[in-house]
Amino acid sequence: MAPGHYFWAIFYFACLCSASLANNAKVNFREKEKKILDQILGAGKYDARIRPSGINGTDGPAVVRVNIFVRSISKIDDVTMEYSVQLTFREQWLDERLKFDDIGGRLKYLTLTEANRVWMPDLFFSNEKEGHFHNIIMPNVYIRIFPYGSVLYSIRISLTLACPMNLKLYPLDRQVCSLRMASYGWTTADLVFLWKEGDPVQVVKNLHLPRFTLEKFLTDYCNSKTNTGEYSCLKVDLLFKREFSYYLIQIYIPCCMLVIVSWVSFWLDQGAVPARVSLGVTTLLTMATQTSGINASLPPVSYTKAIDVWTGVCLTFVFGALLEFALVNYASRSDMHRENMKKKRRELEQASLDAASDLLDTDSNATFAMKPLVRHPGDPLALEKLRQCEVHMQAPKRPNCCRSWLAKFPTSPLKKVPCFGRGKCSRSKRIDVISRITFPLVFALFNLVYWSTYLFREEEEE
């Protein structure tokens, strides 16, 4: 063969090799994916109605591993006892019927958006009230099939779940809200749910809740037995702590202020009837409105809550201040009646003494000399002298410490008369002075017992 022919033969062979390499470099893997999907999911080759085999191809139950990502918790409703959560839900299982050639590791996985093409676990949320998928802009769901037959299912959903609450310590309480997932039709002989190893539950960073704080979460199993068999179940418990600062500002401090305002009536004059009545009725109505507003945001439960104890005692203190004025007014009228009776009695005695002195002036000297020596038992002058003698002959009483201390509080703004002097003060003013001291002391004692009791019970619950 001539040298020219060798050259053209080598050139032609080099062109063929370069074309072959170029064709290999421009392989359309999307076309490969289509062929693989048609191959493994074609008619008569894969039946989505049949569950996968067990571990290592055995006839045991199919194992599905679950993990969730909590994206947000929008609300926790105390009245309806429910909470709303948005999460990304993932399931992963092995289906050996879906194995395929990864072309030397170039195909990491195949992606599907139609869940009905492959077998799916019949999982449902057992404590769900409402729920919906997200379809903007496209349905937020995908299925990935890996070369060794592993299937990953991921979907974004929003759920409203039931959360039974115990409000005995409200608003110093902690609530546990659960998320339960179970199989609806496959028993544990065919399907078993397990939490994914490592980190089965993830929560978005900086999760913000209006009145709660997510303290921690726990994963567990909750298999249930019914008449139709035993079903696999998973649950995650979310522990929420109620933020107390909101209730301190909106409820506890205003109630304390109303109780303290009701005590102002103890320092008003007992004759200022319109002022004291208006103050008492206004604080009572305001406290009742506050109580009704608090109960409107809570469910009508059969037990007593911590907030009920607080509002009930505060309402009792305000009502007690109003009753105290009624007692003061009654005592004041009683004192006036008693003073009028004493005044009439003194006038009668004075009239008797004047009549006796007139009789003495008209008698003779002998009669005048004899009358002081002979006194009749009913003589008013003799009674007056006898009363003075009894007063001087009485033994001195031992001083009472409490009365001595309370006597330092003047009740008459004009005369500055001490309230506990003998015969110096009316009973109405004495009631006011006692109320000024008793009401704050009893309220302070109640606060001590209330906070120590419920804070201690909160620690026990924790």
Side-chain angles (χ1 to χ4, degrees):
M1 182 179 292
H5 292 150
Y6 280 110
F7 173 77
W8 288 109
I10 294 172
F11 179 76
Y12 180 73
F13 181 75
C15 289
L16 290 177
C17 291
S18 62
S20 176
L21 292 174
N23 289 333
N24 290 335
K26 296 181 180 179
V27 173
N28 190 343
F29 289 99
R30 306 290 79 80
E31 290 292 334
K32 291 289 184 181
E33 290 181 5
K34 177 182 179 304
K35 292 180 180 179
I36 293 173
L37 288 175
D38 291 340
Q39 179 182 355
I40 62 178
L41 298 177
K45 295 183 179 180
Y46 183 87
D47 193 344
R49 299 172 297 175
I50 307 301
R51 71 169 180 87
S53 302
I55 298 175
N56 297 326
T58 62
D59 196 31
V63 177
V64 178
R65 297 192 177 273
V66 177
N67 71 94
I68 61 175
F69 175 68
V70 180
R71 293 181 172 271
S72 64
I73 300 176
S74 58
K75 70 172 183 176
I76 301 176
D77 197 337
D78 298 317
V79 178
T80 57
M81 291 192 180
E82 62 186 21
Y83 71 105
S84 299
V85 60
Q86 182 186 129
L87 50 88
T88 298
F89 175 75
R90 305 186 187 99
E91 295 176 310
Q92 194 165 8
W93 65 93
L94 182 63
D95 193 343
E96 295 182 353
R97 297 172 296 174
L98 299 177
K99 288 183 178 180
F100 63 90
D101 183 15
D102 60 353
I103 314 177
R106 296 187 179 184
L107 284 178
K108 294 183 179 181
Y109 52 81
L110 303 175
T111 302
L112 296 177
T113 56
E114 300 175 358
N116 58 354
R117 297 289 300 275
V118 298
W119 176 86
M120 291 290 299
D122 60 342
L123 181 141
F124 77 105
F125 297 92
S126 58
N127 60 332
E128 172 210 352
K129 288 187 174 181
E130 294 179 359
H132 67 273
F133 301 113
H134 293 267
N135 298 318
I136 300 175
I137 298 177
M138 291 293 292
N140 298 164
V141 59
Y142 68 81
I143 296 176
R144 290 177 181 174
I145 304 175
F146 294 88
Y148 51 92
S150 179
V151 181
L152 173 63
Y153 174 74
S154 177
I155 187 171
R156 187 165 73 99
I157 52 179
S158 292
L159 301 170
T160 300
L161 304 167
C163 179
M165 299 181 182
N166 186 352
L167 300 174
K168 288 184 178 180
L169 298 181
Y170 177 90
L172 300 168
D173 57 334
R174 285 179 169 84
Q175 301 298 337
V176 178
C177 295
S178 298
L179 175 64
R180 295 174 175 266
M181 300 162 284
S183 173
Y184 190 81
W186 299 97
T187 63
T188 52
D190 297 312
L191 179 62
V192 173
F193 289 111
L194 297 177
W195 285 113
K196 182 182 178 181
E197 297 178 357
D199 195 7
V201 178
Q202 300 172 344
V203 180
V204 66
K205 294 181 179 179
N206 301 324
L207 179 65
H208 178 70
L209 295 173
R211 291 181 293 175
F212 288 88
T213 300
L214 179 61
E215 288 192 329
K216 59 182 179 180
F217 50 87
L218 302 172
T219 57
D220 200 357
Y221 297 91
C222 54
N223 293 2
S224 60
K225 290 184 179 181
T226 64
N227 294 333
T228 57
E230 182 180 0
Y231 298 91
S232 182
C233 175
L234 302 177
K235 75 170 182 176
V236 54
D237 293 330
L238 305 173
L239 179 60
F240 296 102
K241 180 183 179 182
R242 198 181 299 271
E243 288 291 343
F244 180 69
S245 57
Y246 168 81
Y247 301 93
L248 180 65
I249 297 173
Q250 297 293 327
I251 296 177
Y252 284 89
I253 293 179
C255 288
C256 283
M257 294 174 65
L258 287 175
V259 172
I260 294 173
V261 167
S262 68
W263 298 343
V264 175
S265 64
F266 303 153
W267 300 88
L268 297 178
D269 186 72
Q270 60 184 1
V273 177
R276 296 189 69 163
V277 171
S278 301
L279 183 62
V281 172
T282 302
T283 53
L284 183 63
L285 293 178
T286 306
M287 191 67 216
T289 305
Q290 180 86 348
T291 303
S292 62
I294 295 170
N295 293 329
S297 61
L298 293 173
V301 294
S302 59
Y303 48 82
T304 303
K305 304 179 290 292
I307 195 67
D308 294 335
V309 176
W310 175 265
T311 55
V313 173
C314 291
L315 188 62
T316 302
F317 271 93
V318 175
F319 183 66
L322 186 61
L323 289 183
E324 187 271 348
F325 171 67
L327 182 61
V328 166
N329 187 266
Y330 173 78
S332 176
R333 288 185 284 107
S334 178
D335 291 338
M336 292 177 60
H337 178 71
R338 184 177 57 182
E339 290 296 329
N340 291 333
M341 295 299 295
K342 287 183 179 180
K343 184 177 180 181
K344 290 181 180 180
R345 189 180 300 111
R346 285 195 298 268
E347 290 177 354
L348 291 176
E349 291 179 355
Q350 186 64 33
S352 300
L353 291 175
D354 292 341
S357 61
D358 292 340
L359 182 62
L360 291 175
D361 291 338
T362 56
D363 288 343
S364 59
N365 293 334
T367 307
F368 175 79
M370 292 297 294
K371 280 183 179 180
L373 299 177
V374 180
R375 293 292 183 186
H376 298 285
D379 194 345
L381 186 59
L383 293 176
E384 184 67 23
K385 294 293 184 179
L386 183 60
R387 188 180 299 111
Q388 293 179 3
C389 293
E390 290 177 355
V391 171
H392 289 290
M393 292 175 64
Q394 287 179 351
K397 295 183 179 180
R398 297 181 60 184
N400 191 320
C401 297
C402 295
R403 284 194 171 187
S404 300
W405 180 71
L406 290 173
K408 298 178 182 179
F409 294 90
T411 58
S412 177
L414 298 177
K415 299 180 181 180
K416 304 296 180 183
V417 180
C419 188
F420 284 90
R422 183 178 179 85
K424 297 290 186 180
C425 180
S426 62
R427 289 180 298 172
S428 59
K429 295 180 180 179
R430 189 176 305 172
I431 294 172
D432 271 342
V433 172
I434 294 175
S435 300
R436 295 172 192 173
I437 301 168
T438 304
F439 273 71
L441 287 179
V442 175
F443 190 67
L445 180 62
F446 161 71
N447 274 271
L448 179 62
V449 174
Y450 179 85
W451 295 113
S452 60
T453 300
Y454 282 102
L455 291 178
F456 180 72
R457 289 182 60 182
E458 182 187 11
E459 293 177 359
E460 286 185 349
E461 291 290 336
E462 183 180 3

